[in-house]
Amino acid sequence: MSLYVMKFGGSSVGDTERMKRVAGRVVEKMDEGHQCVVVVSAMGDTTDDLIDQAKQLNSELPAREMDMLLTTGEQISISLLSMAIQALGRKAVSFTGWQAGFRTEPVHGKARINDIQPERVMRALEDGNIVIVAGFQGMTEDGEITTLGRGGSDTTAVALAAAIQADACEIYTDVDGIYSTDPRIVKVARKLKEISYDEMLELANLGAAVLHPRAVEYAKHSGVPLIVRSSFNHNEGTVVKEEATMEQGVVVSGIAYDKNVARISILGVPDAPGVLAEVFGALASEQLDVDIIVQSGVMDGKADFSFSVALSDRENALRVIESLHSRLPYREVTSEENLVKVSIVGAGMVSHPGVAAKMFQVISGEGVSIKMVSTSEIKVSCVIDGEKLHDVIKALHTAYDLDTAEQAVVGGPQVRR
């Protein structure tokens, strides 16, 4: 008897009919002779709706109370799914994240998992239950409820699969695998049969929403077999594993984009040792992640530099920079929104020169200027204005020979051209 962790996202359990479909899918897996642990997200737009309600009451959104509020979305999902499975004549029990043994660091909003004590989950499995666990949440040693950040249900599923030594972790979503780019933008995107942990981690970090980056990290470090497939059909999914077979002639595996980007520029900074350390040390102390950093030339002992942050962190980052002005004189601070980061990823890029040059040419050919660039062995990222995002992605997808004759499958039916 194999043990599977099955994770279903918000779109898969978006209403009662979809909930019934998921219940049937889980029962099918059990009837094949497997034990099943199911991790679910909040239904549909529940999390966004809760955030909107909170904003109507308090513009500050206190972190602790937001965790108390947002964890209720997953609790609704687990109880309803348990009822749906029981209605099909199977035993099922639902657990919150803390009931399932998730212990986290004492950080609200984006806590990391410190430990998992899954004894209660294992006992329920031994009693013949399908076990349903709320994703996205845990509890500190002091009994404070925490959340793992947006997309944290993926992390819950993979971490739990590692803790209970599951045979595989299946991530069910509204697309039937991992595609070379967003199939909602490129209807002829290529579905990948397999992809390496490293490539998937790059894509996830760069904005591909199909998997959460921390989930891929957990899978890589613990060796959990990870399969991405559709909750709406039984098509073969995509396997994420240590080493994937590189398709002949394919240099770029995927194209990702991230709309959650802002650029902040600090102008007229003294060109002296320790300046960058002070700026980015202050940002790090406020838990603000910086992505791309670009410094321009020095003139009259002054330098300009820019960096990108998540758009959601822009206000906090500006506040931190302004707080440094008294001891770090600068001429001006500016910021830009309406930007996107477009990235190409592929293990084959290491041995193929000219990949970045082609990307720059394609973007230029669409009449778009590049504001920032970042590279690694297997990726190139460009920050650009967001107005022609779809045109740029389609052009890049064609330029790197990723178009197929087949149409991508999203939400069950084929996407129309």
Side-chain angles (χ1 to χ4, degrees):
M1 181 180 292
S2 298
L3 173 56
Y4 280 83
V5 172
M6 308 169 71
K7 182 265 175 178
F8 293 88
S11 60
S12 299
V13 293
D15 53 40
T16 54
E17 287 305 312
R18 292 186 178 191
M19 192 78 72
K20 290 178 182 177
R21 186 185 296 117
V22 167
R25 192 67 175 268
V26 175
V27 168
E28 282 181 19
K29 180 74 75 173
M30 186 180 189
D31 288 347
E32 291 171 2
H34 306 298
Q35 290 180 303
C36 300
V37 176
V38 184
V39 174
V40 290
S41 302
M43 297 173 65
D45 296 325
T46 299
T47 300
D48 290 333
D49 291 342
L50 291 171
I51 292 172
D52 288 341
Q53 291 179 52
K55 288 179 177 178
Q56 294 174 27
L57 298 171
N58 189 335
S59 60
E60 296 297 324
L61 297 183
R64 180 187 184 277
E65 302 310 323
M66 287 303 295
D67 277 1
M68 292 289 286
L69 174 67
L70 297 183
T71 51
T72 63
E74 278 71 21
Q75 291 180 56
I76 292 170
S77 293
I78 61 173
S79 56
L80 290 177
L81 183 56
S82 180
M83 294 177 194
I85 290 173
Q86 290 176 35
L88 296 176
R90 304 300 193 278
K91 292 175 64 177
V93 60
S94 63
F95 294 138
T96 63
W98 46 94
Q99 288 176 320
F102 281 80
R103 299 292 177 265
T104 75
E105 62 183 359
V107 175
H108 289 293
K110 48 184 176 181
R112 290 186 174 270
I113 301 166
N114 283 339
D115 186 33
I116 304 175
Q117 300 165 8
E119 292 81 6
R120 193 170 181 182
V121 172
M122 298 306 295
R123 287 197 302 269
L125 284 171
E126 291 167 5
D127 289 339
N129 286 285
I130 293 171
V131 179
I132 304 155
V133 176
F136 175 68
Q137 59 186 244
M139 182 175 282
T140 69
E141 292 298 332
D142 294 333
E144 288 291 320
I145 292 173
T146 56
T147 61
L148 308 182
R150 297 300 291 265
S153 292
D154 286 352
T155 308
T156 300
V158 178
L160 186 56
I164 65 177
Q165 298 183 333
D167 292 276
C169 178
E170 296 183 328
I171 306 292
Y172 290 81
T173 181
D174 60 348
V175 293
D176 64 344
I178 297 165
Y179 281 82
S180 51
T181 194
D182 187 342
R184 296 168 186 83
I185 295 177
V186 180
K187 312 305 189 230
V188 291
R190 179 192 301 256
K191 189 172 82 169
L192 309 177
K193 290 184 178 180
E194 55 188 41
I195 187 171
S196 70
Y197 288 129
D198 288 337
E199 288 175 304
M200 190 65 243
L201 186 56
E202 286 281 15
L203 286 171
N205 276 317
L206 294 168
V210 69
L211 282 175
H212 192 278
R214 276 191 281 171
V216 184
E217 288 178 353
Y218 263 106
K220 177 178 172 61
H221 293 154
S222 58
V224 172
L226 194 56
I227 304 166
V228 179
R229 56 193 313 179
S230 174
S231 60
F232 297 96
N233 59 57
H234 289 76
N235 293 351
E236 184 178 348
T238 301
V239 180
V240 185
K241 59 183 188 178
E242 185 59 43
E243 290 187 9
T245 303
M246 191 181 303
E247 190 173 337
Q248 186 69 30
V250 175
V251 177
V252 173
S253 299
I255 301 170
Y257 65 93
D258 184 2
K259 294 182 178 180
N260 184 31
V261 177
R263 179 168 77 159
I264 295 176
S265 299
I266 307 180
L267 310 178
V269 180
D271 180 36
V275 169
L276 293 181
E278 178 155 9
V279 171
F280 294 108
L283 292 167
S285 68
E286 293 294 320
Q287 308 271 325
L288 296 170
D289 291 327
V290 174
D291 186 14
I292 304 174
I293 304 171
V294 176
Q295 181 170 338
S296 63
V298 179
M299 182 177 294
D300 298 328
K302 302 288 186 180
D304 302 336
F305 66 90
S306 302
F307 59 91
S308 64
V309 295
L311 180 59
S312 53
D313 288 337
R314 185 183 73 95
E315 293 298 330
N316 284 337
L318 287 172
R319 175 182 51 79
V320 170
I321 299 303
E322 289 167 4
S323 72
L324 297 175
H325 197 209
S326 60
R327 62 180 186 273
L328 180 65
Y330 52 77
R331 186 176 75 253
E332 184 183 4
V333 174
T334 64
S335 68
E336 290 179 80
E337 301 181 27
N338 302 317
L339 303 176
V340 293
K341 181 172 66 175
V342 178
S343 307
I344 57 172
V345 174
M349 292 167 57
V350 176
S351 56
H352 287 76
V355 176
K358 178 184 285 190
M359 183 180 192
F360 303 152
Q361 290 166 0
V362 169
I363 294 175
S364 174
E366 294 300 315
V368 177
S369 297
I370 298 172
K371 296 177 177 290
M372 307 178 86
V373 176
S374 174
T375 66
S376 75
E377 286 188 338
I378 63 171
K379 65 96 173 172
V380 181
S381 296
C382 296
V383 174
I384 62 175
D385 285 321
E387 293 179 1
K388 299 185 70 175
L389 170 64
H390 288 199
D391 293 335
V392 168
I393 290 176
K394 290 175 183 177
L396 288 170
H397 200 269
T398 299
Y400 290 108
D401 299 320
L402 294 174
D403 294 351
T404 68
E406 300 178 0
Q407 295 187 35
V409 178
V410 180
Q414 286 192 334
V415 179
R416 294 187 181 274
R417 286 185 181 271

